[in-house]
Amino acid sequence: PCLLPTVSDVPRTDYDSIKAYFVDFLKKKPQGVILESYVTSGPDWCMDDGIYEFTMGATGDKVKARYSFVYTLEGGEWKIAHHHSSMMPEAQLAASSGAPAPIPDAEVRSLFSLWNNALATLDPDEVAKRYSKAPCLLPTVSDVPRTDYDSIKAYFVDFLKKKPQGVILESYVTSGP
């Protein structure tokens, strides 16, 4: 599993760390409502991403956030394989001064080309270098999440033997204000 939580900077990649996050989060008595949802599915997996808002029953505070859930079918039961949630950038930018300009949608879409071009080199190191210091890769042909440089590189050693090249068929970009 991989949880990238709303109100913590720490990725949670095992049962104990995910439980610890929710022990603290649930003390706030959150109640969530989905405001926007975009669903994609395939055999034995599905993804729901969009925007939700939590009202903290303990304080009345509201937190609006982007989310993504990737679910996999395990033993006839849907399980969360990956969950990402982050506060809306507008709220974060309003709290800071001198915020950087938002990245244009076209530039966001062009970032895929950098990764796809790395695939074309057939060099696992070149592909792995495209990932951040705290990555979460949910691979196409493996059910093992990769959360560090070495495991991502190891995945691409075999995957690149297939000489893959990707094409984005649909794209929904969300960026800052």
Side-chain angles (χ1 to χ4, degrees):
C2 183
L3 169 65
L4 305 172
T6 309
V7 293
S8 171
D9 293 339
V10 179
R12 313 298 173 123
T13 58
D14 60 40
Y15 176 83
D16 290 334
S17 66
I18 291 170
K19 181 180 175 185
Y21 171 77
F22 281 109
V23 164
D24 291 334
F25 184 66
L26 292 175
K27 290 176 184 174
K28 299 174 185 179
K29 300 181 181 175
Q31 291 294 307
V33 176
I34 292 176
L35 304 176
E36 295 180 36
S37 172
Y38 304 94
V39 174
T40 307
S41 62
D44 297 340
W45 69 272
C46 58
M47 179 174 66
D48 179 11
D49 51 15
I51 298 170
Y52 53 23
E53 184 174 70
F54 286 95
T55 300
M56 304 303 166
T59 63
D61 291 342
K62 291 187 180 252
V63 178
K64 193 173 181 182
R66 299 173 291 184
Y67 72 88
S68 62
F69 286 95
V70 176
Y71 301 96
T72 57
L73 192 59
E74 294 180 6
E77 187 177 351
W78 289 102
K79 298 284 189 167
I80 299 168
H82 175 85
H83 176 200
H84 170 252
S85 181
S86 57
M87 286 189 281
M88 296 297 285
E90 293 85 358
Q92 294 171 338
L93 290 175
S96 66
S97 61
I103 181 171
D105 290 1
E107 188 174 343
V108 172
R109 287 186 179 94
S110 72
L111 295 173
F112 173 78
S113 296
L114 297 174
W115 178 78
N116 209 29
N117 291 343
L119 288 179
T121 68
L122 303 178
D123 180 349
D125 187 57
E126 286 300 311
V127 179
K129 286 193 293 190
R130 297 296 321 148
Y131 290 82
S132 73
K133 290 183 267 183
C136 183
L137 168 64
L138 303 174
T140 307
V141 295
S142 170
D143 60 1
V144 177
R146 312 301 170 120
T147 58
D148 61 46
Y149 174 84
D150 291 333
S151 66
I152 289 173
K153 183 177 176 182
Y155 168 75
F156 282 107
V157 166
D158 290 328
F159 186 70
L160 290 175
K161 291 176 183 173
K162 302 173 191 319
K163 298 184 179 176
Q165 279 293 278
V167 175
I168 293 178
L169 302 178
E170 293 184 40
S171 173
Y172 303 94
V173 173
T174 302
S175 57

